[in-house]
């Protein structure tokens, strides 16, 4: 009996060690026994101490950062160092995902099970599936919809968008989604919204759909998105190699030419998850956004950038928390309308709101700041979807429809408030 136990224990330890050392089978990066911890802290000193952990990318990966907590994914071999650092920083850590690979495996199984069905929202769709679905929409609704091409990605994929317009003279709303590769709930939500705008019979949804011109890019970071489906579920950045490092990719949400690399809003280290790139607009995907949005900016009243996770509505500015936009009070009133509507919805999901740098961290060169500062789009938000960390980026597919439904309810309230505050008047 004792021997059996020792043997099983040895096997279990070997499994953990192999999981950590190999980390890859089937060409896919595995996260066996990688755990995600929420670390609470009180002072900036503690935060900076803990932030240093993220420099060891092999063992620690920052999932989320806020004013009072960090979410860190820790490899099995980094656990001892992590515990020591937390102790030294006098902070407290709580585990909330014990094994990231387990969540990925469940998600993969659910995706495979739903693949036999038509395109739908019980699973996360691949880029090829989303594109085939877009083609189908374009063929079925030739009068209302129009495809547009944003440009080509680094790996030469076409970045596609869909315009929905029921009539002329509508204010324009741009939705940028899946700029961060691993945030799959964003493209799932964007495609569900497209479906509702075209098929819903709910009068509120019909009014919403028909009284705005929608420009929707379901997957902006196409290369990164494909990479998350085929190789590394936790990839965030683009896939363009660096001239000065073996680390690949740039944080596309730090690459816009607006206060680019100012303050500590982005990193100059190519290995960092928030690497701003060698120069602003170094990423073809972001240059393409700039060219396209720039060409229609007089038609746009609202810019929304879909992200996950943490249930937040973030206004400019991201580059500083010492100044606030001129229409900050209005931006907060509009954000409150969104938050109140979502919370009143049966799921009771709570969204917090504020300026990005004010309630989260400084992050320069992001979409919503660039749209606001450089393109004159006065209503501009980053929306961070579900959840607050229980599943993080690996949000089970059962959340897709509820998340999308509450987004729709939020959008109705947001645009109603924009209208009453005079932000939807035509600029052209
Ligand atoms: O850091 C980001 O790019 C966003 N959070 S995420 O976890 N999805 O990566 C927040 C961006 C906030 N917006 C601005 N800084 N303007
Ligand atoms: Zn994001």
């Amino acid at each position: 009996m004792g021997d059996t136990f020792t043997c099983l224990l040895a096997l279990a330890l070997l499994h953990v060690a192999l999981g950590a050392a190999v980390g890859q089978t089937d060409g896919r990066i595995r996260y066996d026994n990688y755990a995600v911890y929420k670390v609470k802290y009180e002072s900036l000193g503690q935060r900076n101490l803990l932030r240093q952990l993220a420099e060891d990318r092999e063992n620690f990966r920052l999932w989320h950062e806020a004013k009072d907590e960090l979410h860190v994914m820790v490899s099995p071999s980094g656990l001892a160092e992590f515990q020591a650092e937390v102790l030294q920083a006098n902070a407290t850590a709580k585990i909330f995902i014990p094994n990231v690979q387990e969540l990925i495996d469940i998600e993969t199984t659910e995706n495979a099970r739903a693949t036999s069905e038509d395109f739908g929202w019980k699973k996360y769709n691949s880029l090829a599936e989303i594109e085939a679905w877009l083609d189908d929409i374009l063929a079925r609704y030739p009068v209302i919809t129009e495809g547009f091409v944003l440009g080509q990605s680094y790996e030469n994929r076409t970045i596609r968008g869909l315009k929905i317009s029921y009539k002329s003279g509508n204010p324009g709303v741009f939705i940028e989604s899946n700029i961060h590769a691993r945030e799959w709930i964003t493209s799932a939500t964007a495609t569900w919204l497209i479906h509702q705008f075209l098929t819903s019979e709910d009068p509120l949804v019909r009014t919403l759909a028909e009284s705005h011109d929608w420009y929707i890019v379901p997957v902006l970071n196409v290369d990164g998105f494909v990479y998350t489906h085929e190789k590394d579920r936790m990839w965030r950045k683009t896939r363009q190699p660096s001239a000065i490092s073996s680390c690949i990719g740039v944080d596309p949400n730090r690459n816009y030419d607006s206060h680019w690399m100012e303050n500590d809003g982005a990193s100059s280290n190519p290995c960092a998850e928030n690497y701003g790139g060698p120069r602003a607009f170094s990423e073809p995907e972001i240059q393409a956004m700039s060219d396209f949005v720039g060409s229609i900016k007089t038609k746009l009243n609202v810019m929304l950038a879909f992200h996950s996770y943490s249930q937040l509505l973030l206004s400019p500015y991201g580059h500083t928390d010492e100044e606030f936009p001129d229409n900050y009070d209005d931006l907060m009133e509009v954000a409150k309308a969104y938050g109140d509507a979502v919370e009143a919805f049966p799921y009771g999901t709570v969204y917090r709101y504020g300026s990005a740098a004010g309630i989260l961290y400084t992050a320069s060169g992001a979409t919503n700041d660039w749209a606001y500062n450089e393109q004159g789009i006065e209503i501009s938000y980053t929306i961070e979807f579900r959840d607050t960390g229980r599943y993080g980026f690996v949000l089970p597919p059962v959340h897709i429809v509820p998340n999308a439904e509450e987004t729709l309810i939020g959008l109705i309230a947001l645009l109603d408030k924009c209208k009453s505050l005079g932000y939807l008047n035509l600029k052209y």
Side-chain angles (χ1 to χ4, degrees), residues 287-355:
Q287 180 68 57
M289 262 293 281
S290 168
D291 294 344
F292 185 83
V293 171
S295 74
I296 58 160
K297 67 178 178 187
T298 54
K299 296 182 178 159
L300 295 179
N301 300 63
V302 177
M303 169 64 75
L304 302 172
F306 285 179
H307 286 254
S308 73
Y309 59 93
S310 44
Q311 297 168 201
L312 299 169
L313 211 73
L314 304 167
S315 83
Y317 298 130
H319 69 283
T320 176
D321 61 358
E322 283 164 15
E323 281 173 55
F324 291 86
D326 290 343
N327 65 336
Y328 182 70
D329 290 346
D330 288 349
L331 283 164
M332 290 304 103
E333 202 174 326
V334 172
K336 180 176 181 331
Y338 184 99
D340 287 351
V342 172
E343 195 171 349
F345 202 56
Y347 306 119
T349 309
V350 175
Y351 271 70
R352 293 188 299 122
Y353 53 87
S355 81

Side-chain angles (χ1 to χ4, degrees), residues 180 183 236 253-254 307-308 318 356 361 363 366 368-369 382 384:
H180 286 145
E183 296 166 12
R236 167 182 168 94
N253 209 32
R254 301 290 182 279
H307 286 254
S308 73
Y361 42 75
N368 70 321
D369 286 319
T382 300
E384 300 274 359

Side-chain angles (χ1 to χ4, degrees), residues 227-244:
Y227 195 73
T228 56
H229 276 267
E230 294 178 356
K231 295 273 191 274
D232 182 356
R233 177 65 182 87
M234 301 325 303
W235 191 258
R236 167 182 168 94
K237 300 193 281 182
T238 58
R239 291 295 303 162
Q240 180 162 218
S242 160
I244 54 165

Side-chain angles (χ1 to χ4, degrees), residues 110-188:
E110 286 182 28
N111 280 353
R113 193 181 326 131
T115 295
S116 52
E117 296 168 17
D118 285 347
F119 182 94
W121 293 272
K122 287 185 190 151
K123 62 158 183 156
Y124 289 105
N125 299 290
S126 67
L127 185 66
E129 287 167 326
I130 293 173
E131 290 186 338
W133 178 79
L134 279 177
D135 287 337
D136 190 46
I137 296 269
L138 286 163
R140 264 203 264 172
Y141 302 90
V143 180
I144 298 150
T145 65
E146 194 186 319
F148 62 87
V149 169
L150 214 60
Q152 301 301 120
S153 69
Y154 171 73
E155 290 174 347
N156 209 25
R157 291 187 176 86
T158 301
I159 307 165
R160 297 176 55 177
L162 185 78
K163 179 180 176 191
I164 302 176
S165 178
Y166 280 87
K167 57 179 165 61
S168 58
N170 277 339
V173 181
F174 196 102
I175 294 180
E176 175 216 78
S177 163
N178 241 160
I179 186 175
H180 286 145
R182 62 192 171 187
E183 296 166 12
W184 288 5
I185 185 62
T186 61
S187 47

Side-chain angles (χ1 to χ4, degrees), residues 75-91:
S75 79
S77 46
L79 191 57
E81 187 190 342
F82 173 72
Q83 280 163 342
E85 289 291 336
V86 170
L87 210 65
Q88 202 201 333
N90 204 14

